[in-house]
Amino acid sequence: MALGVFSTAASAGEGTVNGAAGGAVTGAIVGGPAGAAVGGVAGAIAGTLLDPPPKKVITYVEEQPAPSEDVVVQQKIVVGEPLPEAVTVTPIPDSPKYAYAVVNHQRVIVDPSTRTVIHVVD
């Protein structure tokens, strides 16, 4: 059990670090040194909030049968962006923090309360 807690804590830290680094780079490009500082903070927050889902959630989504109808939208599916309202998301049993959808031939895991894409399943 301790391993699971350590793994989750490590994952959360990695998301924060990766988010901070990405935000700092983006901020520096847009706003120079001041932009890098602001972007780093914003990226750290986003990285923490969008940590990848647990393996059991990814496995569950991978094992679900393909939908009978294809759902295709014009917008690109991007981690951190919400799915269009027209896309139906399906809750994941035993993991209420997650839902999934198959859109543009991709399985995606989302936050059901915001519809924000958390992970694109490869």
Side-chain angles (χ1 to χ4, degrees):
M1 190 60 141
L3 180 59
V5 171
F6 175 76
S7 174
T8 301
S11 177
E14 290 171 8
T16 302
V17 170
N18 292 339
V25 170
T26 302
I29 291 170
V30 174
V38 172
V41 171
I45 293 167
T48 300
L49 297 177
L50 298 177
D51 280 335
K55 181 66 178 160
K56 74 175 191 168
V57 169
I58 296 170
T59 300
Y60 176 85
V61 172
E62 290 171 333
E63 293 175 347
Q64 296 311 298
S68 58
E69 294 183 30
D70 290 338
V71 175
V72 179
V73 297
Q74 293 299 317
Q75 79 182 53
K76 185 177 177 183
I77 304 305
V78 178
V79 171
E81 294 294 322
L83 290 178
E85 288 297 322
V87 176
T88 301
V89 297
T90 304
I92 297 177
D94 300 324
S95 296
K97 289 176 39 178
Y98 304 101
Y100 76 97
V102 180
V103 59
N104 294 352
H105 308 289
Q106 294 179 301
R107 292 172 188 261
V108 296
I109 299 171
V110 301
D111 174 336
S113 64
T114 63
R115 304 176 60 82
T116 300
V117 176
I118 297 170
H119 182 77
V120 177
V121 179
D122 295 327

